[in-house]
Amino acid sequence: MAASSAVKRGIDAGAYRNTGTYGSPTWTEMTLVRDVQQAMPWDMGDASSRASRAKLYEKTQIDLAPQITMRADDADAAYVAMYAAAFSPTTKLDLMILDGDIATEGAMGLRAQWNINFTSQGQAAGDIVYTNFDCKPAWTSDGVPKIVIMGASSAPAFTSL
């Protein structure tokens, strides 16, 4: 079935952790994720010349910087993996972050091996404990970050950045 026009709700988005290998991924939904903030600003190189008084720019590199907020749960494998990766100097996590469910044709997002940073955790007496993680693409021999578009039968199409 082809993708159809519809409003995308945040509650229907998905964050997935690969529990298999990079070449043969097993995507497991990270169900304790509450919020994801995607940021993908480009660095701009000055491409100006005397042909115009206007400053001209060209995109050079993109800064992929998703932020993931997860409810803390010591028994949840995805939370434990994020927490452990945040404190490890070498662990990288293969995550796919989509603006729809993995089974939704047309859902879009990113896949990369990510360095995970623990950025904050509110522990107010009247609150539920949530942990904020920042993700930055990691160097890996497995490949570069990729744009993902979900196709028919939950088959992802990957395009390298």
Side-chain angles (χ1 to χ4, degrees), residues 29-87:
E29 186 169 12
M30 297 169 33
T31 58
L32 296 184
V33 169
R34 180 180 70 185
D35 298 321
V36 173
Q37 292 292 321
Q38 288 274 39
M40 297 178 259
W42 284 92
D43 291 339
M44 298 286 183
D46 187 344
S48 300
S49 72
R50 293 180 181 173
S52 173
R53 291 188 180 273
K55 283 189 167 186
L56 305 174
Y57 297 92
E58 277 300 314
K59 295 176 179 177
T60 57
Q61 291 182 295
I62 192 167
D63 187 9
L64 306 177
Q67 297 173 325
I68 297 174
T69 301
M70 291 183 78
R71 190 175 73 230
D73 185 338
D74 302 340
D76 182 78
Y79 179 78
V80 170
M82 292 286 284
Y83 191 92
F87 289 97

Side-chain angles (χ1 to χ4, degrees), residues 124-143:
D127 291 346
I128 304 301
V129 175
Y130 281 87
T131 306
N132 295 306
F133 298 101
D134 284 351
C135 306
K136 290 286 192 176
W139 181 91
T140 173
S141 59
D142 286 329

Side-chain angles (χ1 to χ4, degrees), residues 12 77 82 90 109 151:
D12 297 329
M82 292 286 284
T90 58

Side-chain angles (χ1 to χ4, degrees), residues 6-14 98-101:
V7 173
K8 290 191 176 200
R9 300 177 300 199
I11 193 86
D12 297 329
L98 300 173
D99 64 3
D101 185 79

